[in-house]
Amino acid sequence: MTQRGLLIVLSGPSGVGKGTVRKAIFEEESIDFQYSISATTRQPRAGEVDGEDYFFVTREQFEEKINNGDMLEYAKYVSNYYGTPKSFIDETLASGRDVFLEIDVQGALQVKSKMPEGIYIFLTLPDLANLRDRLVGRGTDSADVIEKRVAAARDELKMMINYDYAVENDVVSNAVERIKSIITAERLRVTRVFDKIQ
Amino acid sequence: MTQRGLLIVLSGPSGVGKGTVRKAIFEEESIDFQYSISATTRQPRAGEVDGEDYFFVTREQFEEKINNGDMLEYAKYVSNYYGTPKSFIDETLASGRDVFLEIDVQGALQVKSKMPEGIYIFLTLPDLANLRDRLVGRGTDSADVIEKRVAAARDELKMMINYDYAVENDVVSNAVERIKSIITAERLRVTRVFDKIQ
């Protein structure tokens, strides 16, 4: 029996550097993930390949997928749909290959509600701890600005609790190493090793 | 607030190479674990230091620790007690330092019942999977020997399910890298990161 692949979800607040970290991960020689390909109703641009850049579908096809429960998450931007088809991920995992999905926080929570067995990694700004102390200590921000930044950090923490792991993106190569360690460790979980042996 | 250290328990069947892997881990520069020091009623040998090699205690002191619930596990060999004192581990973890405990399977299960928050790693022989196929394919063992080895492997699997992670000890340096990844990942668990930030 083929051991099922891992679903790895990288998420985090906007501006934290998800895309940069994802690109760095895919440049690693030791890594062979399938990137989760989104479906969209927008027209392909020059050079874009169906089933590689996106699954290009009609509005009717997309809405059918929504109704069939085949969209792990979706959103509409500028009158076009964008979403993550479940069947593609399911088939890839069943073939034993790991799937990597980079997605915003709202999308990640939708995916988690449907695929809780995934590994949910929250990418976070460095030094979230002691933020107020550092800002006060630095002495460059007004009390008002400091409170706004602390409130934003608190919101970030509220999101974080929905994830399995929190990875600081201080230096991209460090973040990549941490994510690689998480994946190595997850593969060694007794529950997964047991599935493989049995 | 100091973040509590991790309790890392390395265990596995006899002959799997626990001691060798533990020694290799303690030779790593990046690692600074406190090794869990056992208590014993046996006499110190020349050169052995109390509180370093062992906590040397009297039989009365040891039995008092058992009665007080301060022995995470203990056993008697050749009329002497050997055991793992809980208070030393608790104090070390509270100071923020990680504690590493290498112990046999029976001891590990006793420790786990009292400190389930630890990280329990099962060191396993390579290629436990498909053992029978390999033995049959090799053609050097009698059917009787093969069945005995398969039964032993099955017993090992039964023990493994009580652990969090299973690490193959194919090559010591690989086993060490896997254990380091597990510890890195465990430190990034949102529950722990959250404790640290709050």
Side-chain angles (χ1 to χ4, degrees):
Chain A
M1 203 190 83
T2 310
Q3 191 183 19
R4 197 172 158 86
L6 302 177
L7 171 64
I8 301 135
V9 179
L10 181 67
S11 181
S14 61
V16 77
K18 293 187 289 292
T20 312
V21 170
R22 185 250 304 157
K23 273 181 208 136
I25 285 175
F26 276 82
E27 278 166 13
E28 292 278 314
E29 271 192 29
S30 61
I31 279 185
D32 177 38
F33 299 143
Q34 170 63 54
Y35 188 67
S36 166
I37 301 167
S38 299
T40 183
T41 56
R42 81 152 165 75
Q43 291 302 306
R45 292 180 193 136
E48 282 185 341
V49 178
D50 184 46
E52 212 165 281
D53 297 292
Y54 283 96
F55 294 112
F56 293 103
V57 296
T58 64
R59 171 179 303 262
E60 291 68 38
Q61 287 170 323
F62 201 106
E63 289 175 345
E64 200 188 313
K65 280 174 188 291
I66 296 173
N67 295 333
N68 291 347
D70 189 36
M71 281 295 161
L72 286 178
E73 58 81 37
Y74 68 95
K76 215 170 181 177
Y77 300 108
V78 203
S79 82
N80 277 312
Y81 282 119
Y82 293 81
T84 304
K86 186 171 191 294
S87 51
F88 176 67
I89 292 181
D90 267 338
E91 285 158 22
T92 310
L93 295 175
S95 79
R97 201 152 172 226
D98 303 323
V99 175
F100 190 94
L101 173 62
E102 178 218 325
I103 194 165
D104 62 23
V105 171
Q106 206 185 343
L109 295 186
Q110 287 183 57
V111 174
K112 197 184 175 194
S113 71
K114 289 174 187 157
M115 298 191 85
E117 73 277 23
I119 300 159
Y120 291 83
I121 303 174
F122 188 81
L123 199 65
T124 172
L125 293 164
D127 299 322
L128 206 58
N130 315 319
L131 180 65
R132 183 186 274 117
D133 290 354
R134 281 185 306 110
L135 293 178
V136 171
R138 207 167 60 175
T140 55
D141 297 303
S142 68
D144 188 47
V145 167
I146 289 175
E147 288 318 307
K148 270 188 192 145
R149 292 197 53 183
V150 168
R154 201 173 293 134
D155 286 347
E156 189 171 329
L157 284 177
K158 274 186 210 148
M159 295 182 225
M160 191 196 284
I161 203 68
N162 296 298
Y163 290 76
D164 300 309
Y165 297 96
V167 167
E168 254 187 37
N169 187 18
D170 47 356
V171 177
V172 171
S173 59
N174 290 349
V176 169
E177 286 309 310
R178 290 174 192 132
I179 292 170
K180 283 168 70 177
S181 287
I182 289 169
I183 293 162
T184 299
E186 284 285 340
R187 287 202 182 110
L188 299 172
R189 289 205 155 267
V190 160
T191 43
R192 293 193 217 279
V193 172
F194 223 68
D195 280 351
K196 185 172 149 193
I197 292 174
Q198 295 262 302
Chain B
M1 202 190 83
T2 310
Q3 191 184 20
R4 198 172 158 84
L6 302 177
L7 171 63
I8 302 136
V9 180
L10 181 67
S11 182
S14 61
V16 77
K18 294 187 289 293
T20 313
V21 170
R22 185 250 303 158
K23 273 178 208 136
I25 285 174
F26 275 81
E27 279 166 12
E28 292 278 314
E29 274 192 28
S30 61
I31 279 185
D32 178 38
F33 299 142
Q34 170 63 56
Y35 187 67
S36 166
I37 300 167
S38 299
T40 182
T41 57
R42 81 153 164 75
Q43 291 302 305
R45 293 181 191 135
E48 282 186 339
V49 178
D50 183 45
E52 212 166 279
D53 297 293
Y54 283 96
F55 294 113
F56 294 103
V57 296
T58 64
R59 172 178 303 262
E60 291 68 36
Q61 288 170 323
F62 201 106
E63 289 175 346
E64 202 187 312
K65 280 176 187 290
I66 295 173
N67 295 332
N68 291 345
D70 189 36
M71 282 296 162
L72 285 179
E73 58 81 35
Y74 68 95
K76 216 171 183 179
Y77 300 108
V78 204
S79 83
N80 278 310
Y81 283 119
Y82 294 81
T84 304
K86 185 171 191 295
S87 51
F88 175 67
I89 291 181
D90 267 339
E91 285 156 22
T92 310
L93 294 176
S95 78
R97 197 148 175 232
D98 303 323
V99 175
F100 190 94
L101 174 62
E102 178 217 324
I103 194 163
D104 63 21
V105 171
Q106 206 184 343
L109 295 186
Q110 287 183 57
V111 174
K112 197 185 174 192
S113 71
K114 289 170 186 159
M115 299 190 85
E117 72 277 23
I119 299 159
Y120 292 82
I121 302 174
F122 188 82
L123 199 64
T124 173
L125 293 165
D127 300 322
L128 206 60
N130 314 319
L131 181 64
R132 183 185 276 118
D133 289 353
R134 280 186 305 111
L135 294 177
V136 171
R138 206 167 61 175
T140 56
D141 297 302
S142 69
D144 189 46
V145 167
I146 289 175
E147 288 318 307
K148 269 186 192 146
R149 294 196 55 182
V150 169
R154 201 173 292 134
D155 286 346
E156 189 170 327
L157 285 178
K158 275 185 210 148
M159 298 181 222
M160 191 196 283
I161 204 69
N162 296 297
Y163 291 76
D164 300 309
Y165 296 97
V167 167
E168 254 187 38
N169 187 19
D170 47 357
V171 177
V172 172
S173 59
N174 289 349
V176 169
E177 286 307 311
R178 290 173 192 134
I179 292 169
K180 284 169 71 179
S181 287
I182 289 170
I183 294 160
T184 299
E186 284 285 340
R187 288 202 181 109
L188 299 173
R189 290 204 152 266
V190 159
T191 43
R192 294 193 216 279
V193 171
F194 222 68
D195 280 352
K196 185 171 150 194
I197 292 174
Q198 296 260 302

